[in-house]
Amino acid sequence: MVTTVSTYPTEEQRDRWRERAEELGMTQSDLVASMVEAGLKASEGFEPGVGMDETEADLREQRNELREELERERARVADLEERVYRGERCEAERFVSENPGCSHSELINHLQSTVPGRMDRLTEGLVADETPDGGEGWYLPGDEGTGGGSSAPYVAGTGLPIEGDR
């Protein structure tokens, strides 16, 4: 059952309420009712900022959704880390299988000397661009440097920009 309650704000208050209601996408009546409820709850130890449309159940649901999203992102990061580790590990295993009994320094030298051949795979999705100080750097797409670079494509097998594209 809806009950009517009247209030007589000043013109200044009415304008302020109207603007705030528009910002929040609410009617003025809904804004006034929400603010009165929030004020009553605040006086009972309720935290301001949680309107009457956000019940405890709503907040729990939002929390659970954010937890699920966080877990998905953590799993994605773990998968990407595993793919990088597995790729490097596979290269080490391949070398050792082709060179049984190789020394530690031989394995390290091999891995270091073959990194350029794996750079395209390792840098897939990254952008090489000019840094603000005129050097070169790697960026995520959309975060390219501000030095005037062109988000140049890579030279196959090197992961470096193609000369002349800058």
Side-chain angles (χ1 to χ4, degrees), residues 50-68:
V50 178
M52 70 183 226
D53 60 334
E54 289 186 307
T55 65
E56 193 172 312
D58 292 333
L59 295 175
R60 280 193 184 113
E61 183 178 338
Q62 289 175 28
R63 179 202 60 199
N64 292 340
E65 288 171 2
L66 289 172
R67 276 187 182 164
E68 289 170 9

Side-chain angles (χ1 to χ4, degrees), residues 82-92 118 121-122:
E82 175 63 23
R83 286 171 51 192
V84 168
Y85 169 76
R86 197 173 45 241
E88 294 304 293
R89 172 87 179 170
C90 287
E91 180 61 27
R118 296 188 308 273
R121 182 176 42 82
L122 295 172

Side-chain angles (χ1 to χ4, degrees), residues 65-77:
E65 288 171 2
L66 289 172
R67 276 187 182 164
E68 289 170 9
E69 182 180 341
L70 177 61
E71 288 305 313
R72 282 191 305 271
E73 294 303 319
R74 283 182 176 161
R76 182 170 181 263
V77 166

